[in-house]
Amino acid sequence: MKQTKMVYHEHIALRGEGTPFLSFSSFEDIPFLRHGYSTRLGGVSEGVFSSLNLGFRRGDMDENVQENYRRICGSIGIPVENLVFTDQVHGTELKRVTVLDCGKGILRERDYAGVDGLLTNEAFVALVVFGADCVPVFFVDTKAHAIGVAHAGWRGTLEGISAKMVRRLSEEFGSKASDLHIVIGPSICKDCYEVSEDVAGQFLERYPEIAPKSVFQTEGKEGKFQLDLWEMNRQLLMGAGVSSVQIEVSGICTCCHKELLFSHRAMGANRGSLAGFLMMER
């Protein structure tokens, strides 16, 4: 399928015919992989959900969300019936899924709850992770042919969900950290993400060696801190044995680019949801 490509950022291209999506440079040359991250563009939803809302039960009409999935999946080249959804609760539960799970969350009910990450080694199982400021992390093992996605908000990051996925891929599929290609996807940047002293303190207490690289006191605001979730997840991944050259930080902020992406911090709860897609074709 021929796709147009417009470079939007150093590591990100805006692709697709009709309904565009973001693609990551480190994944583009992996021949067996389909991937993409949605934008607000090219859908049918209206108002605060305009226009490519991919979140059910947010107040948008289900038929609009279904059509939005049809459009984005058509652009990326992933069948809607192959999708498997997370059930995100800001935890660290990871679930191995198979072809038997395809359609769960969109065409049929999920029979699991509280799952913030998915992994598989089966072809044509399309993993979906949601975001609107929280960090989506994508994992590809090009040798063992395994993939994973994880939702890392501040709670999931604090509990080390990214490093947990590295270990789980090893346990399930024999993946080696040296064989992983990882993308830290579009999400809120440190300049936009101000947190309380309590949240900052939890990171500094748990990770005294690496957290100071990711937690900074807000200038002129006592008791307020800037939290760099991108760098914190990168540090945790390196602590799990992944080389820095294998980690791509997309570097695009959902809050800074609210014209292109949904952002909880910029828009509040009354807004649409973004989604990331990852699937192997063999």
Side-chain angles (χ1 to χ4, degrees):
M1 178 176 60
K2 185 178 180 181
Q3 297 171 335
T4 58
K5 176 178 178 179
M6 179 184 77
V7 176
Y8 187 81
H9 187 272
E10 180 183 0
H11 299 296
I12 290 185
L14 193 60
R15 290 184 174 274
E17 297 288 348
T19 297
F21 60 92
L22 299 172
S23 68
F24 309 124
S25 59
S26 60
F27 284 176
E28 288 184 344
D29 293 330
I30 300 176
F32 61 83
L33 197 67
R34 291 275 182 177
H35 82 281
Y37 199 77
S38 71
T39 73
R40 297 184 62 180
L41 310 178
V44 299
S45 297
E46 299 179 345
V48 296
F49 307 111
S50 176
S51 67
L52 193 79
N53 168 43
L54 297 177
F56 290 102
R57 297 186 295 277
R58 300 204 61 84
D60 197 1
M61 292 186 293
D62 283 357
E63 54 265 37
N64 286 347
V65 183
Q66 293 280 1
E67 174 61 17
N68 289 340
Y69 273 104
R70 188 191 69 78
R71 292 186 177 202
I72 187 71
C73 287
S75 285
I76 298 173
I78 291 176
V80 172
E81 59 269 22
N82 291 40
L83 302 180
V84 186
F85 284 11
T86 52
D87 181 47
Q88 296 171 191
V89 295
H90 297 277
T92 62
E93 185 67 27
L94 307 176
K95 180 178 176 60
R96 178 177 178 174
V97 293
T98 72
V99 67
L100 299 177
D101 296 296
C102 288
K104 290 181 180 178
I106 183 165
L107 300 180
R108 54 196 177 112
E109 290 295 321
R110 285 171 294 216
D111 54 2
Y112 52 87
V115 171
D116 278 79
L118 302 170
L119 61 157
T120 190
N121 66 343
E122 295 190 13
F124 301 107
V125 178
L127 309 182
V128 182
V129 61
F130 299 96
D133 283 345
C134 291
V135 182
V137 190
F138 304 85
F139 302 75
V140 179
D141 181 342
T142 55
K143 291 190 177 179
H145 277 215
I147 57 175
V149 297
H151 162 250
W154 77 259
R155 291 179 180 84
T157 300
L158 180 67
E159 297 298 328
I161 190 171
S162 295
K164 184 177 179 180
M165 179 65 82
V166 173
R167 294 190 294 269
R168 186 68 180 275
L169 286 165
S170 175
E171 294 165 1
E172 295 284 353
F173 311 126
S175 296
K176 297 178 181 178
S178 58
D179 295 331
L180 294 177
H181 299 262
I182 298 174
V183 170
I184 295 172
S187 42
I188 196 165
C189 73
K190 66 179 176 63
D191 292 336
C192 292
Y193 195 39
E194 188 176 77
V195 299
S196 67
E197 186 173 6
D198 173 65
V199 172
Q202 291 182 62
F203 281 90
L204 292 168
E205 181 179 359
R206 184 168 297 194
Y207 305 107
E209 294 186 1
I210 62 173
K213 301 175 183 179
S214 305
V215 180
F216 312 91
Q217 186 162 7
T218 305
E219 186 175 353
K221 288 187 178 181
E222 186 176 351
K224 295 294 184 181
F225 291 78
Q226 307 302 132
L227 176 57
D228 189 344
L229 291 175
W230 301 348
E231 179 61 19
M232 194 68 217
N233 277 281
R234 195 178 76 91
Q235 291 290 332
L236 290 169
L237 287 164
M238 289 191 295
V242 181
S243 170
S244 62
V245 299
Q246 299 163 237
I247 305 169
E248 174 185 329
V249 179
S250 63
I252 182 168
C253 175
T254 45
C255 191
C256 290
H257 297 279
K258 56 183 180 291
E259 78 290 345
L260 181 74
L261 304 165
F262 292 112
S263 166
H264 184 81
R265 184 60 62 103
M267 303 170 184
N270 197 20
R271 43 88 191 150
S273 288
L274 305 165
F277 303 81
L278 193 62
M279 186 187 81
M280 298 184 295
E281 293 187 298
R282 57 178 172 82

